[in-house]
Amino acid sequence: VKCNEPFPPDINDLVRLHKLIRERKVFTILEFGIGYSTIIMADALLKNKLEFEQKNITNIRNNEFKICSIDSVKEWINIFRENYKSFTNLFELIELCYSDVKIGTFNDRICSYYEKLPDIIPDFIYLDAPDPVSVKGNINGITFKNKTINAADILLMEPLLIPGCYIIVDGRSNNSRFLKNNFQRKFKYTNNKEDDIS
C-alpha cells in the first residue's frame, strides 16, 4: 500500500475523542489506524494518569495507562514516529503495532482481521482502519478492493471486554452495523449521521 498525504485533521472528531477519554477516565485504549487521533488520545490519557497519580490511587486492576495503535501500513507508522518524535512524554504511553490484515469470515459473513493484535484489555476502542486496499486474500474471488470493509477484530475480543467498554467507529457505517448485528452482549448503539460516527 502506497502512502499519500494523510487526511487533514477533523477538529470536531479530535475534540470529541479527547473529551470522552477525560470524562470516562479511560485507562487503556485500542486504536485501529494511527494518525492525529493517536496524539490527541495520548494527551487525554496522560492527563488521566497524572490525575490518578495526584490522588494516589493504587487499587487499579488489569489496566494501565496505555494506547496501542495498530496499522497495516509500515510507512504510516514510520511517518508518525518521525512527525511526533519530540512528544516524548506522550510516546511513553503509545505502543505502535504493525500487522498485516487478511480476509476471513465471522458467522459465515465476509470480514477482515489483523493477524496480530496487542495483548491488552481496552476500556476504549477507536475503529478507523484498516484501509480496504491493505486486506490480503479473497474468499470465492471476493476481495475488499474498492469496497467498504467489515473489520471483525472487536467481535473476537468481545468476551474479554470489561463492562462499560466504549467503542467509537469513525465513518465506516457498514462496519458499525456489522458489529452491532454480531455482538452477543447488549451494547447500547447510537449513530450520529451528521458527524459520521457510531
Side-chain angles (χ1 to χ4, degrees):
V1 176
K2 182 94 173 120
C3 290
N4 296 315
E5 289 295 313
F7 289 112
D10 184 323
I11 302 302
N12 290 336
D13 279 355
L14 298 176
V15 168
R16 181 186 305 106
L17 285 171
H18 196 279
K19 183 180 177 187
L20 281 168
I21 290 164
R22 294 285 287 136
E23 287 177 349
R24 298 184 67 81
K25 303 189 184 309
V26 170
F27 288 86
T28 307
I29 301 169
L30 176 58
E31 178 186 33
F32 294 94
I34 63 171
Y36 301 109
S37 55
T38 311
I39 286 294
I40 294 301
M41 291 193 290
D43 179 77
L45 208 56
L46 179 60
K47 287 177 170 56
N48 288 355
K49 181 177 188 282
L50 293 174
E51 272 186 11
F52 269 79
E53 288 173 353
Q54 285 174 352
K55 293 176 181 176
N56 201 25
I57 297 171
T58 57
N59 60 341
I60 301 170
R61 290 182 11 191
N62 301 328
N63 282 317
E64 55 187 313
F65 290 102
K66 182 180 194 177
I67 174 170
C68 293
S69 298
I70 184 168
D71 208 290
S72 58
V73 182
K74 287 181 182 176
E75 192 175 346
W76 282 133
I77 295 172
N78 293 335
I79 289 169
F80 181 88
R81 276 197 182 105
E82 184 59 31
N83 287 347
Y84 298 106
K85 62 185 175 186
S86 63
F87 291 75
T88 52
N89 60 335
L90 297 181
F91 258 94
E92 292 175 6
L93 305 177
I94 298 171
E95 180 181 325
L96 299 176
C97 308
Y98 167 79
S99 175
D100 285 329
V101 184
K102 62 183 179 182
I103 199 166
T105 61
F106 188 91
N107 287 339
D108 296 324
R109 303 291 189 262
I110 292 178
C111 60
S112 72
Y113 296 101
Y114 282 91
E115 291 187 342
K116 186 175 182 186
L117 294 171
D119 188 17
I120 60 170
I121 299 175
D123 52 334
F124 192 94
I125 300 173
Y126 183 57
L127 178 62
D128 194 26
D131 183 337
V133 175
S134 69
V135 179
K136 297 179 178 178
N138 73 83
I139 292 180
N140 297 346
I142 298 174
T143 71
F144 280 115
K145 306 294 187 263
N146 303 314
K147 297 179 180 75
T148 60
I149 191 167
N150 289 325
D153 305 278
I154 302 172
L155 296 173
L156 285 181
M157 299 174 68
E158 182 183 10
L160 304 175
L161 299 178
I162 59 174
C165 180
Y166 199 84
I167 303 166
I168 292 185
V169 182
D170 190 352
R172 303 170 172 266
S173 55
N174 197 45
N175 202 155
S176 70
R177 286 188 297 270
F178 176 74
L179 293 172
K180 174 180 170 279
N181 292 334
N182 284 283
F183 277 134
Q184 293 185 9
R185 296 184 189 175
K186 293 182 180 179
F187 279 90
K188 181 179 177 184
Y189 176 83
T190 57
N191 177 261
N192 183 329
K193 291 183 180 178
E194 185 179 332
D195 294 326
D196 196 22
I197 62 162
S198 302

